[in-house]
Amino acid sequence: RLERDSFVPQELAPAFCAGSSADVSMYVNGEKITFSGIDPSTPLVSAIRDYTRFTGTKLSCGEGGCGACVVVLSSTPPSNATGPIRENDITHSQVNSCLRPIFLCDGMSVTTSEDRKST
């Protein structure tokens, strides 16, 4: 399933986000990465470009209109779900990483344009 992401208003961010730091873990192109001490409101595009070796995701307009920052987020059902995870249980969403705060990506898998396995 591929779903288009909608804008996530900043007011949905937990109150602790402003000026604080957190550890956020995710997979980026199959590599597990933990962003230690990062501001949870940091845009996903900035975290990917500044703290990983993947620089193919670009920041251009910063408003989600140009598509230079689009990545695919993959997530599984909550950990309290019963039974094994099947292929159909995984949700893939196209998101504008310039609009997505990194705290919303904790535990997810991010696929950028550099993922060579998909070509």
Side-chain angles (χ1 to χ4, degrees):
R1 297 179 300 191
L2 184 64
E3 300 171 359
R4 178 139 175 96
D5 182 48
S6 59
F7 175 71
V8 179
Q10 197 64 27
E11 60 267 13
L12 293 181
F16 66 85
C17 281
S20 68
S21 64
D23 291 345
V24 178
S25 294
M26 66 183 67
Y27 287 87
V28 179
N29 296 333
E31 293 180 19
K32 185 168 184 177
I33 297 176
T34 299
F35 300 95
S36 296
I38 194 165
D39 180 340
S41 63
T42 300
L44 178 60
V45 66
S46 298
I48 291 172
R49 288 189 56 79
D50 296 345
Y51 300 107
T52 75
R53 61 185 182 89
F54 303 109
T55 57
T57 302
K58 307 294 185 200
L59 176 61
S60 185
C61 72
E63 298 177 347
C66 70
C69 66
V70 170
V71 297
V72 175
L73 279 183
S74 302
S75 61
T76 57
S79 59
N80 61 355
T82 58
I85 297 173
R86 299 177 314 237
E87 181 77 27
N88 291 341
D89 293 334
I90 301 171
T91 301
H92 305 283
S93 302
Q94 173 184 326
V95 300
N96 293 310
S97 61
C98 67
L99 300 178
R100 176 64 67 133
I102 194 168
F103 80 91
L104 290 176
C105 305
D106 191 38
M108 294 185 174
S109 179
V110 180
T111 304
T112 70
S113 59
E114 289 126 330
D115 184 22
R116 291 192 169 83
K117 292 182 285 185
S118 63
T119 58

